[in-house]
PDB file of all heavy atoms in Angstrom:
ATOM      1  N   LYS A 212      14.378 -37.473  66.788  1.00 87.00           N
ATOM      2  CA  LYS A 212      15.791 -37.141  66.758  1.00 87.00           C
ATOM      3  C   LYS A 212      16.006 -35.841  65.992  1.00 87.00           C
ATOM      4  O   LYS A 212      15.331 -35.586  64.994  1.00 87.00           O
ATOM      5  CB  LYS A 212      16.580 -38.285  66.132  1.00 87.00           C
ATOM      6  CG  LYS A 212      16.519 -39.569  66.959  1.00 87.00           C
ATOM      7  CD  LYS A 212      17.430 -40.636  66.423  1.00 87.00           C
ATOM      8  CE  LYS A 212      17.416 -41.848  67.343  1.00 87.00           C
ATOM      9  NZ  LYS A 212      18.315 -42.923  66.907  1.00 87.00           N
ATOM     10  N   ILE A 240      16.080 -35.832  54.807  1.00 89.00           N
ATOM     11  CA  ILE A 240      16.215 -36.095  56.249  1.00 89.00           C
ATOM     12  C   ILE A 240      14.882 -35.904  56.947  1.00 89.00           C
ATOM     13  O   ILE A 240      14.495 -36.695  57.818  1.00 89.00           O
ATOM     14  CB  ILE A 240      17.294 -35.176  56.855  1.00 89.00           C
ATOM     15  CG1 ILE A 240      18.658 -35.502  56.248  1.00 89.00           C
ATOM     16  CG2 ILE A 240      17.343 -35.330  58.368  1.00 89.00           C
ATOM     17  CD1 ILE A 240      19.771 -34.588  56.718  1.00 89.00           C
ATOM     18  N   ARG A 243      12.469 -38.710  56.601  1.00 76.00           N
ATOM     19  CA  ARG A 243      12.783 -39.877  57.440  1.00 76.00           C
ATOM     20  C   ARG A 243      12.445 -39.610  58.904  1.00 76.00           C
ATOM     21  O   ARG A 243      12.904 -40.298  59.800  1.00 76.00           O
ATOM     22  CB  ARG A 243      14.246 -40.240  57.293  1.00 76.00           C
ATOM     23  CG  ARG A 243      14.638 -40.496  55.836  1.00 76.00           C
ATOM     24  CD  ARG A 243      15.970 -41.144  55.742  1.00 76.00           C
ATOM     25  NE  ARG A 243      15.845 -42.552  56.043  1.00 76.00           N
ATOM     26  CZ  ARG A 243      16.872 -43.335  56.304  1.00 76.00           C
ATOM     27  NH1 ARG A 243      18.073 -42.839  56.357  1.00 76.00           N
ATOM     28  NH2 ARG A 243      16.691 -44.598  56.562  1.00 76.00           N
ATOM     29  N   ASN A 244      11.666 -38.550  59.108  1.00 75.00           N
ATOM     30  CA  ASN A 244      11.115 -38.254  60.434  1.00 75.00           C
ATOM     31  C   ASN A 244      12.157 -37.758  61.428  1.00 75.00           C
ATOM     32  O   ASN A 244      12.007 -37.958  62.634  1.00 75.00           O
ATOM     33  CB  ASN A 244      10.399 -39.482  60.999  1.00 75.00           C
ATOM     34  CG  ASN A 244       9.400 -40.036  60.026  1.00 75.00           C
ATOM     35  OD1 ASN A 244       8.587 -39.298  59.484  1.00 75.00           O
ATOM     36  ND2 ASN A 244       9.483 -41.334  59.763  1.00 75.00           N
ATOM     37  N   TYR A 245      13.216 -37.152  60.923  1.00 86.00           N
ATOM     38  CA  TYR A 245      14.142 -36.460  61.800  1.00 86.00           C
ATOM     39  C   TYR A 245      13.822 -34.967  61.729  1.00 86.00           C
ATOM     40  O   TYR A 245      13.379 -34.463  60.700  1.00 86.00           O
ATOM     41  CB  TYR A 245      15.598 -36.679  61.366  1.00 86.00           C
ATOM     42  CG  TYR A 245      16.013 -38.121  61.312  1.00 86.00           C
ATOM     43  CD1 TYR A 245      16.535 -38.667  60.138  1.00 86.00           C
ATOM     44  CD2 TYR A 245      15.880 -38.947  62.413  1.00 86.00           C
ATOM     45  CE1 TYR A 245      16.924 -39.991  60.073  1.00 86.00           C
ATOM     46  CE2 TYR A 245      16.264 -40.279  62.357  1.00 86.00           C
ATOM     47  CZ  TYR A 245      16.778 -40.794  61.176  1.00 86.00           C
ATOM     48  OH  TYR A 245      17.147 -42.109  61.116  1.00 86.00           O
ATOM     49  N   GLU A 246      14.090 -34.283  62.814  1.00 90.00           N
ATOM     50  CA  GLU A 246      13.885 -32.845  62.832  1.00 90.00           C
ATOM     51  C   GLU A 246      15.192 -32.164  62.452  1.00 90.00           C
ATOM     52  O   GLU A 246      16.250 -32.486  63.002  1.00 90.00           O
ATOM     53  CB  GLU A 246      13.442 -32.393  64.220  1.00 90.00           C
ATOM     54  CG  GLU A 246      13.048 -30.935  64.283  1.00 90.00           C
ATOM     55  CD  GLU A 246      12.464 -30.546  65.630  1.00 90.00           C
ATOM     56  OE1 GLU A 246      12.351 -31.436  66.500  1.00 90.00           O
ATOM     57  OE2 GLU A 246      12.133 -29.372  65.811  1.00 90.00           O
ATOM     58  N   LEU A 477      23.372 -42.214  63.380  1.00 89.00           N
ATOM     59  CA  LEU A 477      22.260 -42.165  64.339  1.00 89.00           C
ATOM     60  C   LEU A 477      21.997 -43.528  64.978  1.00 89.00           C
ATOM     61  O   LEU A 477      20.989 -43.703  65.656  1.00 89.00           O
ATOM     62  CB  LEU A 477      20.993 -41.666  63.634  1.00 89.00           C
ATOM     63  CG  LEU A 477      21.056 -40.208  63.170  1.00 89.00           C
ATOM     64  CD1 LEU A 477      19.835 -39.860  62.339  1.00 89.00           C
ATOM     65  CD2 LEU A 477      21.146 -39.276  64.367  1.00 89.00           C
ATOM     66  N   GLU A 479      21.086 -46.259  63.696  1.00 79.00           N
ATOM     67  CA  GLU A 479      19.904 -46.931  63.158  1.00 79.00           C
ATOM     68  C   GLU A 479      20.347 -47.739  61.942  1.00 79.00           C
ATOM     69  O   GLU A 479      19.914 -47.505  60.816  1.00 79.00           O
ATOM     70  CB  GLU A 479      18.818 -45.917  62.805  1.00 79.00           C
ATOM     71  CG  GLU A 479      18.242 -45.240  64.041  1.00 79.00           C
ATOM     72  CD  GLU A 479      17.055 -44.374  63.725  1.00 79.00           C
ATOM     73  OE1 GLU A 479      16.915 -43.933  62.578  1.00 79.00           O
ATOM     74  OE2 GLU A 479      16.264 -44.132  64.652  1.00 79.00           O
TER      75      GLU A 479
END
Side-chain angles (χ1 to χ4, degrees):
K212 296 187 175 182
I240 296 176
R243 304 193 78 194
N244 308 311
Y245 302 124
E246 187 174 359
L477 293 173
E479 292 187 337

